[in-house]
Amino acid sequence: MEDQNMDDGDQNRETEIAPAQIAVHPSQESVSVAVGSDLRVFNLREGLPVKLSDDGHSDSIRAIRYAANGKLFVSAGDDKLVKIWATDSWRCVYNVASEKRVSAVAISNDGLFVCFADKFGVVYVVDTRAFTEETPTSIIKKGVPILSHYCSIITSLEFSPDGRFIITADRDSKIRVTVFPQNSLNGAHEIQSFCLGHTEFVSCLAFVCNQEYPQGFLVSGSGDSTVRLWDFSSGSLLDTCDVGAEAAFADRKEEEGLLPITDLCTVQDGSLVAVAIQSLTGIMLLGCDLSKRNLSVVKVVSIAEETYIPTSIGSASTAELLWMVMGASSLNISDIKSLVRIRVLSGFSKCNAASVETLVLEDKDTPGGEQMLQTLQGKLSVEKEAFSSAAEAVKNSMRNLLIKKQYSAERRDFRKRGRNDIKNKAK
Amino acid sequence: MGHESTVMSTHSKSTGLPRKRFYRARAHSNPLSDSHFPVPIAPSQFDYASHYPQIFGETVETSCQRKIEFADIGCGFGGLLISLATLFPETLMIGMELRDKVTEYVKERILALRTGNPGQYQNISVVRTNSMKYIPNYFEKGQLKKMFFLFPDPHFKEKNHRRRVISTYLLDEYAYALAVGGIIYTITDVEELGEWMKSCLESHPMFEALTSQELEDDPVVKLLTTATEEGQKVARNGGKTYQAIFRRIAQPAH
């Protein structure tokens, strides 16, 4: 029994490590980073750190996002609170309570509805028209459940570019495309399609679209180390790119098992897809040819001086920059509590994928410069030794969270012995 | 050979059918737990040839257009499937069951029936799966004509209601798998569950109740109580059953 407890304890501690998240305002007016329960925002237009007029979160933040029009910002996570912020004042205008831990958030393209998904697979909607300037933030509202994946963690939540569909990805390798109805408060019952093909958990979703294909195509990243391209309206798989194999091919040491994709970011109105891969120091760029409907590796941008493995990436629609963060909370290695390191890649643009000229910016050349880094990282220089430990911790927490546990026969029997119902019978 | 003889001893000597007492299983199974059995990645990868060997065996080119049209969710010992097999000999059907021993029993029962009745029972098969999680892995959009939920686990406790096989959320998935006009059959001997299933279906925008005339004309409705092991047990004990039978309707235009 002693052993069992220790085992579970270890696991809990590791899953509590939250990878740092980054979100960039659509016109790059501000950039936000979440690490642990800490939300840090830097105003790029004025070059100043933002003071949040709220107590913030009390547990790890798992998802942050700006609305497409930049007016709202949403943060949510393990404290079961969804906070909706107005980005002009950075006032938290709304607190929404969730019954379970929140794993993903999205805002409808018209900015009217905030959706969030919990670890039991239920997606909720909140109508933001319901709140006014006078609504005190102390009032905690509830979301209306609209759809559910049967008891599976929802890992990613997106609205399609035309706003007609809400797309959910889960740890059971499913992607579901649901019609987002006019009156979403009555539920989203009509399933347009399922995109099935991944063989492990799906970790992230993004869209590629251009003027020729304004409705766009879906790209998804998964624990099976592939990025896939989908016609999400029919659910058909158009192409599969085994980036795990490509990354290993490029420079990595032989790694046991698959290399899960941790995040995806696409250029608006273009064909580039940035891919963050577990254990890949740097970022992989894929080109997506929409007329041929295929994906191909353009290059790997390595960031070698640090063991830099981004945990989250983002970009603004107006600038040709890819923002990357590597970080984790609750590390507790020696005296390092958490790690946040921002890198910015230039040349992440909509131009022809064949001629991508990218450059990892020096700290002083980043938008906002050292003051931005000071605000978001908490300090300017980050200890080198923190990187590899953070990478390991993030990897373990992702594995514990998303990969199905296989128990040996003995372990299963042992666990059955602890069952409550049987114990009661014996008494 | 040795393996063969042990398998055969679980079957009745006179009929060749498997005997239930060798396939005892718990009455309940937790649908929430992680599954480790194989599941097709997508409906196109479902192995029709191994499930319906006589139909798909050699003439793959001519018959590959046929798809499963009836699904018995939580088929138990397979009584309904076996009755439907001869009533709809041209329709492919599948039973889905989470408990592996029960699935094993149904598999053996179908094989024995195929052997004992050449040419018959080729259109039914069974698969061990969690249909609350994997319906989209087996069926394409609008593929099914009928879905059956007969005597499902009632899960009385409120905190276990999310384990019920009929819920508003799961009906979304069933509506996806059913063709417009397809029919969902539910029956239970538990009044509380009967009301639950009926109210879920009534409040769902993509289902409408069959009229009493339609219910009378449907030969399948009678089988719900007579063909299944659970139904026979309820009848033996003079119990009451509660049915909810609804049709999948088109979603109004947006």
Side-chain angles (χ1 to χ4, degrees):
Chain A
M1 209 58 210
E2 196 87 44
D3 186 47
Q4 173 91 27
N5 284 339
M6 271 171 58
D7 230 340
D8 287 347
D10 271 353
Q11 232 162 53
N12 287 341
R13 225 172 301 137
E14 269 170 8
T15 49
E16 275 168 21
I17 290 173
Q21 310 278 320
I22 194 163
V24 187
H25 185 278
S27 25
Q28 208 168 283
E29 290 188 3
S30 62
V31 58
S32 305
V33 163
V35 57
S37 60
D38 215 5
L39 182 62
R40 303 167 185 174
V41 184
F42 189 80
N43 183 332
L44 290 166
R45 204 184 46 219
E46 289 168 21
L48 289 169
V50 171
K51 272 213 177 66
L52 299 175
S53 56
D54 186 84
D55 296 339
H57 289 273
S58 58
D59 204 342
S60 293
I61 298 168
R62 297 287 177 173
I64 53 174
R65 170 175 316 236
Y66 285 89
N69 62 13
K71 287 185 178 148
L72 290 179
F73 176 86
V74 181
S75 59
D78 291 354
D79 65 356
K80 304 177 187 176
L81 264 189
V82 180
K83 287 185 173 284
I84 304 173
W85 309 78
T87 56
D88 50 356
S89 60
W90 284 101
R91 191 173 81 95
C92 175
V93 288
Y94 226 51
N95 278 307
V96 186
S98 168
E99 278 172 39
K100 312 281 182 196
R101 295 176 174 200
V102 180
S103 57
V105 295
I107 305 171
S108 64
N109 299 353
D110 54 16
L112 299 180
F113 298 98
V114 169
C115 287
F116 60 96
D118 71 22
K119 284 186 76 177
F120 278 61
V122 183
V123 176
Y124 298 83
V125 67
V126 181
D127 186 345
T128 63
R129 288 171 296 189
F131 48 74
T132 59
E133 277 304 307
E134 297 89 63
T135 317
T137 50
S138 53
I139 292 181
I140 294 179
K141 280 289 213 162
K142 286 203 146 193
V144 177
I146 55 165
L147 68 95
S148 167
H149 285 222
Y150 192 72
C151 209
S152 185
I153 300 170
I154 291 187
T155 52
S156 186
L157 185 61
E158 293 286 338
F159 281 92
S160 63
D162 62 5
R164 278 188 62 213
F165 302 110
I166 182 162
I167 302 177
T168 39
D170 71 22
R171 83 178 268 250
D172 274 330
S173 75
K174 255 197 224 108
I175 301 168
R176 169 173 155 168
V177 182
T178 312
V179 174
F180 191 73
Q182 295 275 306
N183 191 352
S184 58
L185 299 177
N186 291 342
H189 301 291
E190 188 181 354
I191 301 174
Q192 175 70 19
S193 71
F194 282 95
C195 300
L196 301 173
H198 282 299
T199 54
E200 267 294 345
F201 62 86
V202 182
S203 45
C204 41
L205 300 173
F207 293 93
V208 272
C209 44
N210 59 19
Q211 270 137 16
E212 230 176 306
Y213 299 99
Q215 78 288 357
F217 294 96
L218 180 71
V219 279
S220 60
S222 155
D224 65 9
S225 91
T226 65
V227 174
R228 292 177 202 244
L229 179 70
W230 309 89
D231 174 351
F232 58 87
S233 175
S234 68
S236 30
L237 175 62
L238 303 174
D239 197 21
T240 299
C241 185
D242 188 349
V243 299
E246 298 275 356
F249 193 65
D251 69 330
R252 293 317 305 159
K253 55 183 182 284
E254 269 311 305
E255 191 77 35
E256 82 286 2
L258 298 164
L259 300 176
I261 314 300
T262 44
D263 205 1
L264 288 172
C265 182
T266 54
V267 185
Q268 210 175 45
D269 192 21
S271 58
L272 264 190
V273 184
V275 187
I277 307 166
Q278 203 171 77
S279 307
L280 175 74
T281 53
I283 200 94
M284 181 180 271
L285 298 180
L286 301 182
C288 177
D289 187 328
L290 290 184
S291 54
K292 289 190 191 136
R293 321 238 151 128
N294 66 21
L295 292 165
S296 55
V297 176
V298 175
K299 65 168 162 180
V300 174
V301 181
S302 57
I303 302 167
E305 63 263 42
E306 297 153 341
T307 313
Y308 193 79
I309 303 165
T311 50
S312 170
I313 54 181
S315 72
S317 46
T318 51
E320 300 182 346
L321 299 176
L322 178 72
W323 292 74
M324 302 176 274
V325 66
M326 173 182 184
S329 62
S330 331
L331 283 175
N332 294 326
I333 22 161
S334 58
D335 56 341
I336 305 161
K337 284 264 179 301
S338 66
L339 163 82
V340 180
R341 179 76 176 111
I342 312 273
R343 303 303 306 252
V344 182
L345 185 76
S346 71
F348 187 59
S349 75
K350 54 188 104 170
C351 321
N352 183 9
S355 62
V356 184
E357 290 295 325
T358 52
L359 182 70
V360 180
L361 298 181
E362 294 292 326
D363 284 358
K364 60 178 169 37
D365 300 329
T366 55
E370 295 194 334
Q371 204 180 354
M372 178 275 294
L373 294 172
Q374 178 75 42
T375 307
L376 299 182
Q377 294 180 178
K379 54 188 159 191
L380 271 181
S381 67
V382 179
E383 302 83 346
K384 285 250 187 308
E385 66 267 29
F387 286 91
S388 49
S389 331
E392 193 60 27
V394 166
K395 189 167 139 186
N396 287 337
S397 80
M398 191 170 186
R399 194 186 56 217
N400 288 338
L401 188 66
L402 296 175
I403 291 180
K404 289 180 183 174
K405 291 172 188 68
Q406 290 272 18
Y407 297 110
S408 62
E410 300 88 64
R411 181 82 191 272
R412 240 186 352 251
D413 284 344
F414 186 83
R415 288 170 71 94
K416 273 185 188 160
R417 260 190 281 160
R419 285 174 56 131
N420 286 334
D421 47 346
I422 293 173
K423 240 191 262 167
N424 291 343
K425 229 179 261 172
K427 266 174 202 171
Chain B
M1 255 344 257
H3 177 67
E4 189 113 304
S5 67
T6 54
V7 168
M8 289 316 288
S9 71
T10 61
H11 289 53
S12 156
K13 287 215 174 63
S14 51
T15 63
L17 290 169
R19 289 183 293 174
K20 253 191 212 167
R21 63 188 170 107
F22 292 106
Y23 299 90
R24 290 261 166 86
R26 286 170 159 271
H28 308 278
S29 191
N30 183 359
L32 305 181
S33 57
D34 279 353
S35 334
H36 294 289
F37 43 78
V39 172
I41 289 167
S44 58
Q45 308 206 2
F46 181 73
D47 187 359
Y48 275 85
S50 77
H51 279 277
Y52 309 99
Q54 200 175 81
I55 295 166
F56 286 84
E58 279 118 50
T59 54
V60 176
E61 289 87 46
T62 55
S63 60
C64 65
Q65 295 305 312
R66 289 179 67 183
K67 283 177 183 156
I68 294 168
E69 291 180 336
F70 293 1
D72 185 359
I73 312 300
C75 66
F77 291 96
L80 179 78
L81 268 184
I82 283 153
S83 305
L84 289 172
T86 46
L87 195 59
F88 298 89
E90 296 306 312
T91 305
L92 294 185
M93 348 182 162
I94 195 141
M96 302 178 121
E97 175 58 52
L98 181 56
R99 295 165 293 169
D100 55 347
K101 276 191 186 166
V102 179
T103 316
E104 225 25 66
Y105 170 84
V106 179
K107 204 181 279 173
E108 292 296 328
R109 189 173 174 186
I110 293 170
L111 287 178
L113 283 168
R114 284 178 181 173
T115 315
N117 306 273
Q120 285 188 299
Y121 302 103
Q122 296 295 335
N123 58 330
I124 56 172
S125 190
V126 69
V127 67
R128 186 208 176 183
T129 198
N130 183 344
S131 52
M132 294 161 84
K133 281 190 173 184
Y134 300 118
I135 286 279
N137 296 69
Y138 287 89
F139 311 116
E140 288 162 9
K141 190 177 188 175
Q143 179 180 331
L144 295 176
K145 302 274 160 54
K146 292 184 194 297
M147 286 182 98
F148 299 93
F149 298 86
L150 312 187
F151 303 97
D153 196 332
H155 291 296
F156 290 108
K157 288 182 197 162
E158 202 185 327
K159 78 165 189 164
N160 282 342
H161 282 180
R162 65 198 176 97
R163 299 189 187 189
R164 286 179 171 171
V165 74
I166 297 287
S167 69
T168 305
Y169 300 135
L170 285 168
L171 283 174
D172 297 348
E173 283 194 18
Y174 305 152
Y176 163 86
L178 277 169
V180 170
I183 296 172
I184 189 167
Y185 299 84
T186 71
I187 186 169
T188 175
D189 57 330
V190 179
E191 186 173 6
E192 181 201 332
L193 179 68
E195 271 165 22
W196 164 281
M197 295 198 291
K198 195 170 172 192
S199 74
C200 285
L201 280 157
E202 273 172 349
S203 62
H204 199 285
M206 289 157 95
F207 289 98
E208 69 174 15
L210 265 65
T211 63
S212 51
Q213 186 60 48
E214 285 169 328
L215 291 175
E216 209 160 291
D217 296 344
D218 189 341
V220 176
V221 174
K222 289 164 201 74
L223 292 180
L224 303 183
T225 44
T226 59
T228 62
E229 286 77 357
E230 279 294 326
Q232 288 160 4
K233 198 161 80 189
V234 173
R236 260 201 316 274
N237 301 334
K240 207 169 169 319
T241 56
Y242 308 87
Q243 299 178 352
I245 300 164
F246 280 67
R247 182 188 298 105
R248 159 80 154 91
I249 51 172
Q251 178 83 343
H254 320 284

